[in-house]
Amino acid sequence: MTRTAASTRPRIHPAWWVAAVAFLALLGAAGFRAAPGALMVPLHEEFGWSMSTMSLSVGINLLLYGLVAPFAAALMDRFGMRQIIAGALTLVALGAGGSTLMTASWQLHIFWGVLIGTGTGSMALVLAATVANRWFVARRGLVMGVLTAGSATGQLIFLPPVAALAEDVGWRPASLVIAVAALAVAPIAWLVMRDHPHDRGVLPFGADPQTWVPPAEVTGGAMGRAIDGLRFAARHKAFWALALAFAICGATTNGLIGIHFIPSAHDHGMSQTTAAGLLALVGIFDIVGTIASGWLTDVFDPRWLLVAYYFFRGVGLLVLPLLLSDAVHPSMLLFIIVYGLDWVATVPPTAALCREIFGEQGTIVFGWVFAAHQIGAALAAFGAGVIRDTFGAYTWAWWGGAMLCVIASVLSFAVRREPVLEPESERVAVG
């Protein structure tokens, strides 16, 4: 091949490599976050810990997963994405590996709750929003959808083998699988990730060279910037509507189905492996639904997408108690398909509204909205465990989630899309 032919071959834009590694990082962090639902029954059988006790550990995990996010967004701006990602994956590995040494329930709170919650929260969907906003102008919604689907892919890849290992070999080997997977992604992230397109000598994908203006360099401490972002956003009703709706999103996905579907199915006589396989199917259809939602977000009003997503999720939760049994029936498969398509399809339109309304502060504002998502997930995870211990079944938890989805639909419809401006004296540049 001649030098001329080689030089004219279309080159893959570096933004796509950054997005690919971000996908792997999100996949690595997602594995153990999805695993507690498959490990609760084995832990109960070995240690006798109640669902409430284990749900508290998962609640701590989900809470930190959300509360760390806005500070992680600011830390990525300040110190760089690859440093934060590599450190976060190491924390996930320490939590997963260290959990194999547990002998008391308080240690569960440390390993499952604090270490893994902090590690996964340091990436989470804030990483997806940061990569999409910094590296892409065109296809931003689509990229956000693909990166969000990384979490579903982590569940798809890890949950069935984790459940099978936990049931056939033991929960400790299952935890070690997650630790090794997280460590494997860390060096790849360190080698490939870069903070801004100009670090690779290019413009963001889809940027017009004639009109593109690079964002101002970030100044100030990460803690102060995250707090300033919250102070700015909290003055606007759109933030509270988005945050409350996204809290309900977290409650009805990670908090309820993600953590308690397997124990609930087990209550009805279904094996853990079969129930985990159904959650893996949720992951498969979530990939399709989230990528499609990213594309739809580039085309349609994000508010109407959110109204539809929350409505169909509520219908699914309303009928779930009637579908659970000791075997898989067509009606259950229909629930899995619908819930999978809807699982985190809410993320691309929510992130788009944050960017549209709050401008350059949109990534950090989305970090706080995502914190609300995880607060909702944590409350639902703990609350559903208490409901199970109190009533002996999860029925009221599913029905309560359905009612919350109605509220989320109304809140999404009420969001006003007008951009808001920050006073010049308080304006903070976000990369």
Side-chain angles (χ1 to χ4, degrees):
M1 181 180 295
T2 66
R3 181 182 299 272
T4 301
S7 63
T8 57
R9 177 187 296 171
R11 187 168 67 93
I12 298 176
H13 193 285
W16 294 108
W17 292 115
V18 171
V21 174
F23 183 91
L24 283 177
L26 290 166
L27 179 141
F32 199 80
R33 197 189 68 218
L39 301 182
M40 290 173 79
V41 172
L43 284 171
H44 171 72
E45 292 174 349
E46 179 172 335
F47 296 107
W49 297 335
S50 70
M51 287 296 174
S52 297
T53 296
M54 292 183 288
S55 296
L56 177 59
S57 295
V58 175
I60 293 171
N61 176 306
L62 294 172
L63 185 62
L64 286 175
Y65 180 68
L67 292 180
V68 168
F71 299 100
L75 286 169
M76 287 179 191
D77 287 337
R78 183 66 172 160
F79 298 107
M81 285 193 291
R82 64 176 180 169
Q83 288 88 341
I84 302 303
I85 293 169
L89 287 167
T90 302
L91 280 180
V92 172
L94 287 173
S99 68
T100 61
L101 306 176
M102 293 186 301
T103 57
S105 61
W106 67 266
Q107 295 165 349
L108 184 71
H109 303 331
I110 299 298
F111 290 116
W112 273 20
V114 176
L115 290 180
I116 294 173
T118 301
T120 53
S122 297
M123 295 175 293
L125 297 181
V126 170
L127 172 61
T130 301
V131 170
N133 289 338
R134 288 185 183 181
W135 282 86
F136 292 86
V137 173
R139 302 292 186 267
R140 183 177 285 159
L142 177 62
V143 169
M144 187 68 189
V146 172
L147 293 180
T148 301
S151 296
T153 306
Q155 175 177 294
L156 167 65
I157 291 175
F158 289 114
L159 195 53
V162 165
L165 279 171
E167 194 167 42
D168 299 334
V169 181
W171 63 270
R172 289 179 179 85
S175 295
L176 289 175
V177 167
I178 302 303
V180 171
L183 284 178
V185 178
I188 299 174
W190 182 266
L191 289 173
V192 178
M193 293 297 292
R194 292 298 182 272
D195 294 316
H196 297 280
H198 61 71
D199 294 332
R200 292 292 193 189
V202 298
L203 296 178
F205 180 80
D208 185 346
Q210 304 300 321
T211 60
W212 172 251
V213 178
E217 291 295 325
V218 171
T219 59
M223 179 75 72
R225 294 183 59 250
I227 297 298
D228 287 343
L230 175 61
R231 186 182 297 116
F232 164 53
R235 294 197 295 263
H236 303 283
K237 293 180 180 178
F239 168 76
W240 292 107
L242 289 170
L244 289 173
F246 218 41
I248 293 171
C249 177
T252 52
T253 52
N254 300 85
L256 287 178
I257 297 295
I259 300 303
H260 292 285
F261 178 81
I262 293 177
S264 180
H266 187 266
D267 286 345
H268 288 77
M270 186 180 293
S271 72
Q272 294 179 75
T273 304
T274 300
L278 290 175
L279 279 186
L281 283 178
V282 170
I284 293 175
F285 288 102
D286 179 32
I287 296 170
V288 176
T290 307
I291 293 174
S293 180
W295 178 80
L296 291 171
T297 299
D298 289 332
V299 179
F300 298 105
D301 186 335
R303 298 174 303 171
W304 286 109
L305 296 177
L306 291 173
V307 169
Y309 297 157
Y310 287 124
F311 173 79
F312 284 109
R313 185 180 300 175
V315 172
L317 288 172
L318 187 65
V319 301
L320 179 58
L322 305 177
L323 306 179
L324 289 167
S325 68
D326 60 353
V328 178
H329 300 287
S331 56
M332 173 56 76
L333 290 176
L334 179 61
F335 168 84
I336 292 297
I337 292 171
V338 172
Y339 220 86
L341 292 172
D342 198 305
W343 184 259
V344 287
T346 55
V347 173
T350 301
L353 286 170
C354 287
R355 179 74 181 183
E356 181 178 340
I357 296 170
F358 298 101
E360 291 183 345
Q361 289 256 41
T363 300
I364 288 181
V365 171
F366 178 70
W368 285 110
V369 171
F370 182 69
H373 181 280
Q374 294 310 115
I375 291 172
L379 292 174
F382 179 65
V386 172
I387 288 172
R388 167 63 177 79
D389 286 342
T390 302
F391 297 100
Y394 284 99
T395 302
W396 287 107
W398 306 136
W399 287 350
M403 295 302 297
L404 287 174
C405 287
V406 175
I407 297 173
S409 291
V410 174
L411 289 170
S412 300
F413 177 76
V415 172
R416 299 183 64 181
R417 298 178 66 185
E418 290 83 357
V420 296
L421 297 178
E422 187 178 7
E424 186 68 32
S425 62
E426 298 181 11
R427 189 164 298 166
V428 179
V430 178

